[in-house]
Amino acid sequence: MAAAFSGLSAANDTIIIKGVGTWDYFTNYQKHEGPFWNERIAEVSDGQIIGEIKPHTELGLQGYEIMRLVKNGVFDFAFGLPGYVVPESEIFEGADLSSLVQNIDVQKQVANAYFPTLERAFAEKYNAKLMMLYPFPSQMLWCNSQISSIEDLKGKRIRVFLTTLGDFVEGVGAVPVSVPYKDVPDALEKGIVDCVITGTMSAFTSKLYKVASHGFTLRVGWGLAFGAMNMNKWNLLNDEQKVLLQNELAALTESMWQETATEDAIALACLSDGPCSIGETGKMKLVEPSDADLLVRNQVATEVILPRWAERCGPECAANWNRTVGKVLDLRAEAKAR
């Protein structure tokens, strides 16, 4: 009986964390999210913390329900995109507003500046502790006809997956169209859309080069993602376990930022003329934005993207953004006077 009681006590000391990840076919899940929870955390905690994670694609989830499931305790930890949680509050858009940031080091500064804001929002809306922010490869435009400048986007139907991307598309005189990622190649091939916005590596892995001839390498977003944990589960950890988990997630976050920076370069080389170490070259024509394109982008950002978001999010939200991200980018978000 004593032995049985001892075994029960040991079992009760083990914290099992049920997680849900992003897409099984992207490297963020394959290299980072999955191995961290399914292997790494049990090893470094000597079995005190055991993770069990599957990607939302394998679980048949769309993404938008994930944080509600975390709030209800169905999952203990989730990786996901802020776009999934924007229906709860537009404040979640603030760290990845379209086209504002062209450099990954600046995007990291933006994420760090906005982290406390998102931390409060996750706690209030979802009873969750925000643990990390990390990027997917940058979001660019891939088109089935020649694109020489931002002006060539006018009138085109462009696939988007976030409201702020739709603001950018409308700001350059194009038409935003919502298309699920899995349907993107088919939509391009059939002419349902003329261009799509998606990440550099996802453009390569989905073989968009077979249906798209041109890439316009203006960064219109970063696919900034989050990792958040149910607060009740977090509170079950002792102080030592909390420190361990935070340190391990910080190391994971850093490696994901570093890898995304290299993935962008690899994907762009593979989509065009190479060299490509991960498959065939796509032979796409990549067009870099000119100084004139960037001036148009600046105008769209200040006259369309930021005012529309400030209108959606409200004056208090916009003022907070101006104190945080705005200082990093030297920009202000203000709703247009009516």
Side-chain angles (χ1 to χ4, degrees):
M1 186 181 297
F5 183 81
S6 173
L8 179 63
S9 176
N12 287 342
D13 288 339
T14 300
I15 302 286
I16 297 175
I17 296 177
K18 303 185 299 295
V20 57
T22 57
W23 295 268
D24 57 347
Y25 39 77
F26 290 158
T27 53
N28 265 342
Y29 182 81
Q30 295 166 356
K31 292 186 178 181
H32 301 290
E33 301 167 18
F36 179 85
W37 284 114
N38 287 332
E39 300 163 19
R40 171 75 181 173
I41 200 63
E43 292 171 7
V44 296
S45 70
D46 292 326
Q48 290 183 46
I49 305 172
I50 294 176
E52 300 172 355
I53 189 171
K54 288 185 178 179
H56 76 259
T57 40
E58 186 179 326
L59 295 168
L61 301 173
Q62 297 300 306
Y64 296 95
E65 68 276 66
I66 284 173
M67 282 310 301
R68 291 173 194 153
L69 295 172
V70 170
K71 182 178 182 178
N72 294 333
V74 176
F75 296 110
D76 302 314
F77 190 99
F79 294 104
L81 296 184
Y84 292 159
V85 290
V86 165
E88 301 290 344
S89 173
E90 285 76 9
I91 201 168
F92 290 108
E93 289 182 290
D96 195 13
L97 292 172
S98 181
S99 79
L100 301 189
V101 181
Q102 297 300 301
N103 180 285
I104 194 167
D105 292 332
V106 176
Q107 181 59 40
K108 193 174 185 183
Q109 293 175 42
V110 166
N112 290 338
Y114 207 61
F115 193 97
T117 299
L118 292 178
E119 192 174 34
R120 289 191 299 273
F122 272 96
E124 291 169 6
K125 302 290 182 183
Y126 295 110
N127 186 41
K129 181 174 178 61
L130 179 64
M131 306 293 289
M132 59 192 293
L133 293 172
Y134 64 98
F136 277 74
S138 56
Q139 309 295 304
M140 296 181 182
L141 293 121
W142 316 97
C143 301
N144 59 12
S145 61
Q146 181 172 338
I147 298 291
S148 302
S149 73
I150 202 168
E151 297 292 335
D152 293 336
L153 298 174
K154 283 183 179 176
K156 295 197 180 300
R157 299 178 303 264
I158 301 178
R159 180 260 181 171
V160 302
F161 57 91
L162 295 172
T163 303
T164 186
L165 294 174
D167 291 339
F168 168 82
V169 167
E170 289 183 345
V172 298
V175 180
V177 181
S178 180
V179 177
Y181 174 76
K182 63 182 176 59
D183 298 330
V184 160
D186 200 40
L188 259 180
E189 189 171 24
K190 292 180 177 176
I192 296 169
V193 294
D194 305 301
C195 306
V196 302
I197 293 173
T198 192
T200 52
M201 189 56 80
S202 59
F204 178 73
T205 55
S206 61
K207 299 186 177 181
L208 282 193
Y209 50 84
K210 292 186 180 296
V211 290
S213 58
H214 284 67
F216 188 53
T217 61
L218 180 76
R219 288 185 166 100
V220 295
W222 288 90
L224 192 71
F226 64 80
M229 186 170 180
N230 176 283
M231 197 73 79
N232 297 339
K233 178 66 81 165
W234 168 256
N235 289 332
L236 290 179
L237 301 176
N238 63 38
D239 290 345
E240 203 173 292
Q241 291 167 336
K242 287 177 178 176
V243 170
L244 173 71
L245 185 54
Q246 283 181 312
N247 288 343
E248 286 293 319
L249 284 171
L252 177 69
T253 303
E254 188 58 35
S255 66
M256 292 168 103
W257 278 95
Q258 290 177 5
E259 182 148 342
T260 291
T262 60
E263 274 207 351
D264 250 0
I266 292 168
L268 289 172
C270 288
L271 285 162
S272 53
D273 296 324
C276 183
S277 59
I278 56 174
E280 63 181 341
T281 53
K283 307 297 183 186
M284 290 178 79
K285 170 73 173 173
L286 300 186
V287 178
E288 288 189 19
S290 66
D291 290 343
D293 291 330
L294 293 176
L295 285 174
V296 174
R297 185 282 314 256
N298 292 346
Q299 186 177 1
V300 171
T302 55
E303 295 182 6
V304 181
I305 294 165
L306 284 169
R308 285 188 181 184
W309 179 71
E311 185 75 30
R312 291 195 297 273
C313 206
E316 185 180 342
C317 173
N320 172 72
W321 190 91
N322 292 334
R323 289 191 300 268
T324 54
V325 177
K327 282 192 174 179
V328 174
L329 300 180
D330 195 24
L331 290 170
R332 286 188 63 78
E334 292 176 322
K336 286 183 177 176
R338 294 185 177 181

